[in-house]
Amino acid sequence: MEGLLNLENFVEFTPAQYDILSHILTIGYAAHFAAIAYFILTRNQVAPKYRPMGTMSVVVMVSAALLLLRLDISFQQAFVFDGSMYIPAAEAGVEEATAYSHGYRYLNWLIDVPLLLTQSIYVLYIAQEKQFGLRVKLAGSGAAMVILGYVGQFWEATDVTPLLVWGFLSTLPYLYFAYVFLNITGDAVTKLPGEAAVTMRNIRYLFLAAWGLYPIAYLVPAFELAALDGVSAEGAVTRTLLFTVADVLSKIFYGVLLGKVAQIRSREEGYVPLDDPQAQRS
Ligand code: RET
């Protein structure tokens, strides 16, 4: 097969592998759809000044749910069952066959990464006049990382060199925003009230662990080409699993924890949610 195709298009899947990959994609978008409901329903648990943060979570969830659904549809369309294996539709002679396009993920990140990076600013201690500049730096470097990685992934199954070169370039803005993010959230840990400080510390660990999975998943085809001399169906399943776990952690868990910090800060500042039993007593 010719052209710059994602690794899935070079392999054949057993029915179990095909199901598992599709199920991982399905649980991924189902979790993000469910999280839309969560972030809308918990919106009033925080004081009005923190609500834009929840709005950003809803936007992140809608974008992720739709793009992950699109990814699963792309997967369904790109393969056909030949009686024993799922093979690329083009190889099966399907007219107007399409390839599986993994690049959809990057479109989602382009929307979500800048939002996730700037979302925390609402619960941190950052002077008003510094906020705009910080947003530009975080969102700009986040978008640069995604675009450079997007370019690199086109070569993942055909030529490791551009995959690695673009991946390296993409790592530079990544290191920059990670440094900025860890700095501002580290500062907040020293200022937030007790329970909120613990949650913020967990957010930092979550950030390091979850965001660190993406470059590993990006490199799966490179590891395979080095070790196996070719990509495999197992590699495709592993890569999908890594991205899905990373997505659920970096978007949903992260949003829930940030919401918790906002709830604690709201209460500290005297805000009582209307549906709180305490509000009904008074
Ligand atoms: C790429 C390319 C290789 C180098 C690095 C990467 C990092 C990607 C990251 C993605 C995070 C995405 C999130 C999405 C949420 O919607 C682009 C794979 C460092 C960190 C959090």
Side-chain angles (χ1 to χ4, degrees):
M1 230 187 285
E2 298 198 343
L4 298 175
L5 293 168
N6 290 124
L7 78 90
E8 288 77 4
N9 300 295
F10 293 87
V11 298
E12 297 187 352
F13 294 92
T14 65
Q17 287 167 334
Y18 180 88
D19 279 355
I20 292 170
L21 201 155
S22 179
H23 293 166
I24 296 171
L25 291 172
T26 304
I27 199 167
Y29 66 76
H32 289 86
F33 275 118
I36 298 173
Y38 173 86
F39 288 110
I40 292 176
L41 294 171
T42 54
R43 188 175 165 74
N44 292 336
Q45 298 298 312
V46 301
K49 71 171 185 183
Y50 299 116
R51 287 186 197 159
M53 202 175 81
T55 305
M56 287 165 95
S57 278
V58 174
V59 174
V60 165
M61 296 310 136
V62 173
S63 150
L66 289 177
L67 276 153
L68 291 169
L69 175 62
R70 183 67 189 84
L71 202 58
D72 190 38
I73 294 172
S74 175
F75 187 64
Q76 307 281 338
Q77 288 173 339
F79 295 88
V80 289
F81 189 53
D82 76 351
S84 66
M85 299 289 276
Y86 279 88
I87 63 171
E91 267 175 34
V94 173
E95 265 182 62
E96 297 177 38
T98 53
Y100 174 62
S101 172
H102 192 252
Y104 283 114
R105 279 192 189 280
Y106 292 75
L107 306 183
N108 167 235
W109 301 350
L110 198 52
I111 300 170
D112 286 358
V113 166
L115 286 171
L116 290 169
L117 288 173
T118 52
Q119 205 184 4
S120 61
I121 292 177
Y122 291 95
V123 292
L124 303 177
Y125 295 84
I126 293 163
Q128 197 69 36
E129 66 274 13
K130 288 203 179 138
Q131 291 194 3
F132 180 73
L134 192 58
R135 279 178 202 283
V136 172
K137 282 184 212 159
L138 287 170
S141 51
M145 173 199 78
V146 175
I147 294 168
L148 294 167
Y150 174 74
V151 176
Q153 58 90 33
F154 279 106
W155 282 277
E156 64 176 27
T158 44
D159 188 354
V160 187
T161 312
L163 179 81
L164 295 181
V165 171
W166 290 98
F168 171 76
L169 293 176
S170 170
T171 307
L172 302 176
Y174 171 75
L175 293 176
Y176 172 73
F177 70 65
Y179 172 78
V180 174
F181 181 87
L182 291 173
N183 243 326
I184 54 179
T185 50
D187 183 50
V189 171
T190 62
K191 294 184 174 139
L192 283 165
E195 204 193 331
V198 175
T199 309
M200 186 53 74
R201 197 168 335 119
N202 291 338
I203 290 175
R204 288 158 55 82
Y205 293 140
L206 183 71
F207 174 81
L208 283 172
W211 291 59
L213 289 177
Y214 290 92
I216 298 175
Y218 174 91
L219 289 174
V220 164
F223 294 137
E224 289 212 303
L225 290 175
L228 306 173
D229 211 31
V231 289
S232 71
E234 288 82 0
V237 174
T238 308
R239 191 254 289 266
T240 306
L241 183 64
L242 285 172
F243 274 137
T244 305
V245 171
D247 277 346
V248 170
L249 293 177
S250 71
K251 291 188 266 238
I252 305 179
F253 278 52
Y254 173 81
V256 170
L257 290 183
L258 275 185
K260 197 175 156 201
V261 175
Q263 278 175 28
I264 299 168
R265 282 199 66 172
S266 299
R267 277 168 197 258
E268 290 268 326
E269 290 158 12
Y271 174 79
V272 183
L274 271 181
D275 55 2
D276 190 303
Q278 221 183 317
Q280 273 144 34
R281 271 203 303 276
S282 56

